[in-house]
Amino acid sequence: MKKSVVLAFSGGLDTSYCAKYLSENLGYDVHAVTVNTGGFSKEEEQELKMKAEKLGVSSYTFIDAVESYYNECVKYLIFGNVLKNNTYPLSVSAERTVQAQNIAKFAQKIGAAAIAHGSTGAGNDQVRFDLIFQIMCPGVEIITPIRDRSLSREEEILFLKNHGYEMNFEKAQYSINKGLWGTSVGGKETLTSKYNLPEEAFPSQVIKTQPSDLVIEFKNGEIIGVNGGQFSHPVLAIQKIEELAKVYGIGRDIHVGDTIVGIKGRVGFEAAAATVIIKAHHLLEKHTLSKYQQTIKSQLADWYGNWLHEALFLDPVMRNIEVFFNDSQKSVNGKVFITLHPYRFVLNGIESENDLMSAEFGSYGEANLAWTGDDVKGFTKVLSNSLSIYHQINKTT
């Protein structure tokens, strides 16, 4: 009886090679699984199924994980206003974690002897997949033909052709990875430290030039409305914001970061919805959270984003931080008013019953209703006392 292997299947050259190699050369029953985190349409889902069947896999499964992706991960990236290196909304990092977990659960379900993925030995994804699989499926063999055999693209194509499989083997000028929380874009420019991506590299082109207004409504930190329309799940609201903002070319940038495997890397991305939502949510928090809530939360958010990027999503400390994030959002309610322009957007302001910038307590720089001038004199004297002593003792001549 053949042993079974679960293959994380994207339909590209690498995972197509893996499907054939695992069955033809290693003799496995191959169960191909695609996990959708927002990157596939219904038409693409059918195309993937046809590709997998053409490759002769024993079974093909398409898992729609978009809502669970939001519930388990994206929600906390919004709550934390997480931008890696103040730039990148961790689009691919977050996706791989959720995809790997779903693959592992499927392998557990069918009692697979092995799990396989098509990562090379050069990037972050190999670590993300391996680590999740090792934690969730201890003792199950992890097979990575592309990495282990150090295969070139030409070798993979020749192998598939020799086994009677034809596909469009032409390499796209830019590699695109689309998901709910953003689309990564890689090309020859991102392999340098100097060059930016050209306009045509981005999947979404600028087709709207006149400004338009956008209103995002939050309740307990989650999006419930866009331009007056209500949504049954925040995923639908995110998709609506993406639709409205991407036509302006908003959310484009290049992230420069430290990879898990110890080298510097650049990746282009477009993340219209993620960029607008994070900035809008952060503005609302500035009005509705206390000074030290914001201070502590920004520190925890840095850790949360770093651990997610470094493949440590299953560390229990992440669940601890999520509890804090959830609790911090009780007063993050209201509307954020935004104007969209080509390549940029303006946060105009907010409206909230929880707004701590209330005229009831005075107006900054104009008038106060909670203290007197003499109160400030005494407060300042006490506040300066320790520093005054320090500088008197440590006078320099």
Side-chain angles (χ1 to χ4, degrees):
M1 185 176 177
K2 287 184 177 181
K3 293 188 293 184
S4 60
V5 59
V6 173
L7 170 64
F9 184 75
S10 68
L13 175 61
D14 292 336
T15 57
S16 295
Y17 172 90
C18 289
K20 270 294 180 190
Y21 179 78
L22 290 166
S23 61
E24 298 288 340
N25 290 54
L26 300 187
Y28 279 96
D29 276 330
V30 179
H31 300 274
V33 179
T34 302
V35 181
N36 181 27
T37 48
F40 298 110
S41 65
K42 285 293 181 185
E43 293 76 16
E44 289 167 330
E45 178 184 344
Q46 288 304 310
E47 288 174 10
L48 284 166
K49 185 174 187 294
M50 291 171 61
K51 281 184 178 181
E53 289 174 348
K54 190 177 176 182
L55 286 161
V57 300
S58 299
S59 74
Y60 175 73
T61 303
F62 184 90
I63 298 173
D64 189 341
V66 181
E67 287 195 5
S68 62
Y69 174 38
Y70 171 85
N71 295 335
E72 296 168 15
C73 193
V74 170
K75 176 171 71 174
Y76 297 108
L77 296 178
I78 297 172
F79 286 0
N81 309 309
V82 175
L83 291 171
K84 179 73 172 171
N85 288 9
N86 298 312
T87 304
Y88 180 48
L90 291 177
S91 310
V92 176
S93 319
E95 280 186 24
R96 294 295 181 260
T97 294
V98 172
Q99 290 166 351
Q101 288 180 81
N102 277 277
I103 296 291
K105 288 174 185 175
F106 187 87
Q108 291 172 333
K109 180 181 175 182
I110 70 168
I115 307 178
H117 61 87
S119 299
T120 69
N124 289 322
D125 287 345
Q126 58 178 325
V127 179
R128 293 178 180 132
F129 280 117
D130 281 8
L131 192 142
I132 295 289
F133 295 159
Q134 287 169 8
I135 293 170
M136 294 185 64
C137 300
V140 173
E141 183 183 5
I142 300 171
I143 306 174
T144 54
I146 311 301
R147 176 176 63 185
D148 295 343
R149 294 170 59 80
S150 301
L151 294 167
S152 69
R153 181 179 177 81
E154 290 70 27
E155 287 173 312
E156 293 177 53
I157 292 171
L158 181 61
F159 175 86
L160 286 169
K161 285 183 175 179
N162 288 340
H163 285 80
Y165 181 73
E166 290 292 337
M167 61 182 287
N168 181 7
F169 293 114
E170 185 178 341
K171 186 177 181 180
Q173 189 174 358
Y174 294 97
S175 61
I176 306 294
N177 184 93
K178 183 181 179 184
L180 175 70
W181 205 231
T183 299
S184 67
V185 183
K188 61 182 181 181
E189 293 85 1
T190 58
L191 298 176
T192 74
S193 298
K194 180 178 180 180
Y195 297 105
N196 198 0
L197 288 164
E199 186 82 14
E200 62 269 18
F202 295 96
S204 300
Q205 294 294 294
V206 179
I207 58 175
K208 195 165 183 179
T209 57
Q210 293 303 307
S212 63
D213 291 329
L214 171 65
V215 181
I216 304 177
E217 184 176 1
F218 293 87
K219 183 176 181 181
N220 298 332
E222 295 193 76
I223 305 168
I224 60 168
V226 178
N227 288 347
Q230 303 295 300
F231 297 86
S232 59
H233 194 280
V235 161
L236 301 175
I238 292 170
Q239 291 169 338
K240 181 63 177 178
I241 295 168
E242 180 72 19
E243 175 190 321
L244 294 172
K246 72 179 183 179
V247 293
Y248 286 100
I250 288 170
R252 295 177 177 182
D253 208 338
I254 289 185
H255 166 57
V256 182
D258 297 285
T259 66
I260 306 171
V261 292
I263 59 175
K264 294 282 186 183
R266 289 176 96 217
V267 63
F269 65 90
E270 61 170 36
T275 306
V276 172
I277 290 166
I278 286 173
K279 293 299 183 180
H281 178 267
H282 191 201
L283 176 61
L284 186 58
E285 283 194 330
K286 290 177 183 179
H287 282 264
T288 58
L289 295 186
S290 75
K291 177 181 180 179
Y292 293 114
Q293 277 181 301
Q294 293 180 74
T295 300
I296 295 299
K297 199 169 77 62
S298 66
Q299 294 173 22
L300 289 176
D302 279 344
W303 281 109
Y304 191 88
N306 285 333
W307 274 316
L308 174 61
H309 177 268
E310 301 292 309
L312 299 175
F313 184 76
L314 294 182
D315 191 307
V317 74
M318 298 289 273
R319 310 293 82 77
N320 302 146
I321 296 174
E322 288 163 3
V323 171
F324 178 89
F325 281 170
N326 278 320
D327 191 69
S328 73
Q329 298 300 294
K330 291 176 181 176
S331 63
V332 185
N333 307 302
K335 297 178 180 178
V336 182
F337 302 93
I338 304 157
T339 302
L340 305 176
H341 299 267
Y343 305 108
R344 66 185 180 93
F345 60 96
V346 178
L347 299 173
N348 299 310
I350 69 104
E351 182 180 83
S352 172
E353 292 182 356
N354 302 99
D355 190 355
L356 300 176
M357 188 176 160
S358 172
E360 181 182 344
F361 302 100
S363 299
Y364 175 68
E366 300 294 331
N368 70 77
L369 303 175
W371 64 85
T372 68
D374 286 338
D375 291 333
V376 176
K377 290 178 184 178
F379 166 74
T380 307
K381 190 168 185 178
V382 172
L383 183 64
S384 67
N385 189 50
S386 64
L387 282 174
S388 178
I389 293 171
Y390 175 88
H391 283 285
Q392 289 183 61
I393 295 295
N394 294 285
K395 284 181 178 178
T396 57
T397 56

